[in-house]
Amino acid sequence: MSDNNLQPNSDPNVGFKVPDGEVGDFFPLEREQPPSDTFEIGLALGGTVSAGTYTAGVLDFLIQALDAWTAAKNASDLSAPKHKVIIKIMCGTSGGGVNAVLLSRALAYAFPHYDPASRSAPNPLHDVWVEGIDIHELLKTEDLDGAKQVSSLLCAKCIDRAAVLAGSYEGQPLGTLGTPPVRDYVERLLPVVVTLTNLRGVPYSTNFRSAQDRKEFYTDRADHIRFRVDVTGKAPPAPGNLQPYETGISNVPSNVTKPWSVIVNAARGTSAFPVGLPPAVIERNVEHYRYRYAVIDALGERKAVWMMPEWPYLIAEGFTKDDPYKFLCVDGGCFNNEPVNFAREWLAGVIGTNPRGGSEAHRAVILVDPFADAAAIGPVSDEGMLSTAFSTIGAFSSGARYQTADLSLFTDKDVYSRFLVNPVRKDPSNPAGNPWTGGEAIAASGLAAFMGFMCRDFREHDFLLGRLNCQSFLRKHFTLKPDNKLFDGWTPDQKKQFMTDDGDLPVIPLVGTAAIRLQAPDWPKNKFDPESIRSLIDKRLEKVAGMEASPLLAGLCWPFPGLVVKGLQLLGGKATGWIVDMIKKELKKTGLIA
């Protein structure tokens, strides 16, 4: 039977029963407060496309700052406060999911950060985003050679190569390059959640009281996978440390963990921009879906209840519950572009809450989102099919972006349990004026966020801006009130040294190399000429059009096939001109060309 002709299992009793226990037996319902000298962090990495370069820069500096502070504490540096910070979970979607996987791999090693002299930083975050993916590679036709079908408009071979390198990365041992021997600021078995858009879907049903034996079905396509990653690279999760819905990942082979290729494939899936990049096939344990829950309000009480899927659809005819569940997936951002809830519920508990006041907060979700800016006004008239297509894609992305969080909580100055890092760039022509923020501040934002792939200078700018913005965020914004118990062990000199202009104190103090003020990168104007890729676009479109038309041509009599091919070639030429002109228009709009 073809994978795309599956039928529901004829055995109505196939599948699994409700778990033996309540939701709280498998997920934390309400977390206890951490020790007073400890602050817990959940990282939520939003969807990005090529703006993942900005997020990579933020993470690159965040680890540099935490390494420098930890090393200073270990060396008994009197200027380094002694409290603790622990990253408890990382969640990501689309490019954010890629960055979550890249960082979880790199954490086992010491790695260099950005060096202005060499314009490089040989670590997975920089190598994949700045060096690994470029339009000249994406427009190659090697993926079409010998292929029977076209999977995407762009060639993803360079992404596949970058994924293999990232999943096998090995840096220097911890304790070198200024790193501490142990990164105790990260949960040793780190939960990593990657969101996916499941095109097969997970069907559920409900019975209506008013109709006898009547079921109403709905299909959930906002999927996710929960991993537990051994960030030491040396201690794989023991069976008792894994929940039945988690997949263990470690450098060390064991009978309960999977190789890095499994989580890397999930990263490929969450970043598979529909049509632009090829989808990914994911295989997982079907029993994972036994542990999905929903939070409901029942008579004024919040409670978590199990959600049981329609197992005959997940365990199709000819399969058993011991067989892996396989599905085709695309960009996780289609339905969940900011996986904030996964981070919040892990920190606070499924029905718990995090204290929000600056004097009481002891946990926070940090959302890194390159596009958390003011929304553009959408079209009000029909400007053609392609224009409508781009507007529709934007609607999907922005609609998904607000399903999991109210961004007002991240920007409210009185809320200290949610923080936002998003692009901020001063206008050099008017430094005293309001800075550019969000998509306007980065080079990657044009072409539905594909612009960053056009030029290495664009990507380098956004990576460096991410580092700069992270430094500013840690120094000025990721702060608490000075009477918070986290600072009880601080000396008067430390408070005087690190206190902000607002009178707050930073959760992560900047010491050592992290305290050296970074310079704003120059705007990469006139670094890319769209005419340089005209011939590559032509070749790619011509081959894609020919392959897509071949099934239609097979049933036509001469001379129609030749006429159709000629028509496609003419259409391809016009499409190339339209694409080049569109790129020029976007470059001018963002000031990247004169």
Side-chain angles (χ1 to χ4, degrees):
M1 181 184 297
S2 167
D3 285 346
N4 290 333
N5 290 308
L6 298 175
Q7 298 298 319
N9 203 303
S10 57
D11 180 2
N13 297 315
V14 71
F16 301 89
K17 296 180 180 179
V18 174
D20 297 326
E22 301 295 327
V23 174
D25 296 324
F26 297 90
F27 295 88
L29 285 185
E30 293 185 88
R31 293 276 196 186
E32 292 184 1
Q33 183 169 326
S36 60
D37 66 342
T38 301
F39 195 89
E40 297 178 342
I41 294 173
L43 290 177
L45 311 178
T48 64
V49 194
S50 70
T53 312
Y54 174 84
T55 302
V58 171
L59 296 177
D60 184 65
F61 186 85
L62 175 64
I63 298 306
Q64 180 179 347
L66 287 166
D67 278 349
W69 177 36
T70 305
K73 288 192 292 182
N74 291 345
S76 299
D77 185 337
L78 295 179
S79 68
K82 299 295 186 182
H83 70 274
K84 302 174 184 176
V85 164
I86 301 178
I87 298 174
K88 301 289 288 186
I89 187 172
M90 277 199 300
C91 310
T93 189
S94 186
V98 173
N99 276 311
V101 173
L102 293 175
L103 181 56
S104 63
R105 174 74 189 193
L107 282 170
Y109 305 98
F111 54 85
H113 302 283
Y114 186 81
D115 175 22
S118 62
R119 293 184 62 196
S120 67
N123 67 59
L125 293 165
H126 182 273
D127 286 349
V128 167
W129 286 105
V130 178
E131 309 290 356
I133 308 173
D134 187 82
I135 191 62
H136 292 84
E137 295 291 324
L138 294 171
L139 289 175
K140 286 184 175 179
T141 59
E142 57 181 307
D143 61 319
L144 305 177
D145 296 335
K148 295 181 180 179
Q149 62 185 19
V150 178
S151 295
S152 59
L153 286 177
L154 298 172
C155 174
K157 292 294 184 181
C158 63
I159 298 176
D160 294 337
R161 289 189 287 268
V164 171
L165 290 173
S168 58
Y169 172 78
E170 292 185 4
Q172 298 296 315
L174 288 176
T176 63
L177 302 178
T179 62
V182 177
R183 284 187 168 124
D184 56 3
Y185 58 78
V186 185
E187 191 88 346
R188 186 180 69 79
L189 296 179
L190 181 66
V192 176
V193 182
V194 177
T195 71
L196 304 163
T197 294
N198 184 335
L199 295 182
R200 178 175 173 178
V202 182
Y204 295 87
S205 67
T206 181
N207 287 309
F208 280 80
R209 295 179 183 177
S210 59
Q212 286 187 336
D213 299 324
R214 177 190 163 201
K215 283 186 175 182
E216 286 291 330
F217 288 84
Y218 66 96
T219 301
D220 187 9
R221 303 189 189 277
D223 207 348
H224 64 274
I225 301 183
R226 293 178 181 266
F227 297 96
R228 279 278 187 164
V229 180
D230 164 28
V231 297
T232 70
K234 301 175 182 178
N241 291 330
L242 280 178
Q243 290 286 5
Y245 51 79
E246 293 176 322
T247 299
I249 301 292
S250 176
N251 294 357
V252 182
S254 78
N255 59 352
V256 297
T257 59
K258 297 290 186 180
W260 273 90
S261 58
V262 173
I263 192 172
V264 168
N265 191 47
R268 279 282 289 106
T270 191
S271 60
F273 193 87
V275 182
L277 297 172
V281 175
I282 301 292
E283 289 190 5
R284 66 187 303 183
N285 188 339
V286 70
E287 192 177 4
H288 288 173
Y289 294 98
R290 187 183 185 190
Y291 301 92
R292 296 292 172 90
Y293 63 84
V295 177
I296 62 173
D297 286 315
L299 300 177
E301 179 186 2
R302 295 183 78 239
K303 59 187 296 186
V305 297
W306 291 120
M307 297 172 58
M308 285 293 102
E310 286 288 323
W311 293 113
Y313 289 84
L314 271 72
I315 306 170
E317 191 71 37
F319 293 85
T320 72
K321 63 182 183 181
D322 296 323
D323 294 320
Y325 170 74
K326 184 166 69 172
F327 60 95
L328 193 68
C329 78
V330 295
D331 195 325
C334 292
F335 289 96
N336 187 353
N337 209 36
E338 284 173 355
V340 172
N341 264 4
F342 291 119
R344 190 202 65 78
E345 290 182 1
W346 191 258
L347 290 179
V350 172
I351 60 173
T353 58
N354 288 316
R356 293 178 178 175
S359 301
E360 301 82 29
H362 49 264
R363 300 186 180 102
V365 176
I366 298 177
L367 170 62
V368 184
D369 183 3
F371 298 113
D373 49 0
I377 298 176
V380 295
S381 60
D382 184 359
E383 295 184 357
M385 180 180 67
L386 291 173
S387 176
T388 301
F390 274 103
S391 297
T392 302
I393 291 171
F396 271 121
S397 177
S398 61
R401 179 166 291 157
Y402 296 100
Q403 284 182 354
T404 55
D406 178 4
L407 283 183
S408 64
L409 290 176
F410 286 95
T411 56
D412 189 328
K413 64 181 179 62
D414 296 322
V415 173
Y416 288 78
S417 61
R418 297 195 186 192
F419 293 88
L420 172 67
V421 185
N422 87 312
V424 177
R425 176 171 64 91
K426 291 183 178 179
D427 180 355
S429 64
N430 183 20
N434 292 328
W436 288 308
T437 61
E440 292 182 340
I442 55 177
S445 62
L447 298 177
F450 267 84
M451 186 64 81
F453 295 139
M454 298 293 152
C455 177
R456 185 192 184 281
D457 290 277
F458 296 172
R459 300 189 294 275
E460 183 180 46
H461 170 275
D462 291 353
F463 186 87
L464 293 178
L465 186 68
R467 285 177 49 80
L468 175 68
N469 287 170
C470 185
Q471 185 182 60
S472 177
F473 167 74
L474 296 179
R475 178 178 281 124
K476 301 177 181 178
H477 305 294
F478 189 33
T479 62
L480 300 170
K481 295 299 180 183
D483 60 347
N484 191 295
K485 290 186 179 298
L486 187 70
F487 308 121
D488 281 356
W490 283 42
T491 67
D493 286 343
Q494 290 170 345
K495 292 181 179 181
K496 181 178 179 181
Q497 177 183 352
F498 292 107
M499 185 169 286
T500 68
D501 292 341
D502 295 330
D504 291 347
L505 293 175
V507 177
I508 300 176
L510 298 181
V511 300
T513 60
I516 301 172
R517 289 188 178 270
L518 300 176
Q519 299 299 312
D522 294 331
W523 188 238
K525 189 174 182 179
N526 295 329
K527 298 292 185 179
F528 175 68
D529 180 7
E531 293 293 340
S532 66
I533 60 171
R534 180 183 286 271
S535 62
L536 293 175
I537 298 173
D538 256 338
K539 291 177 183 178
R540 178 79 189 176
L541 286 181
E542 183 177 355
K543 194 156 188 176
V544 167
M547 289 183 64
E548 283 296 281
S550 58
L552 301 175
L553 300 178
L556 298 178
C557 298
W558 185 89
F560 293 106
L563 293 174
V564 172
V565 169
K566 188 65 176 176
L568 287 171
Q569 290 173 342
L570 291 172
L571 179 61
K574 288 186 176 180
T576 299
W578 180 84
I579 292 171
V580 171
D581 289 344
M582 180 178 63
I583 295 173
K584 290 179 180 178
K585 181 179 178 181
E586 290 283 304
L587 291 170
K588 289 179 180 178
K589 185 169 68 175
T590 54
L592 287 168
I593 59 174

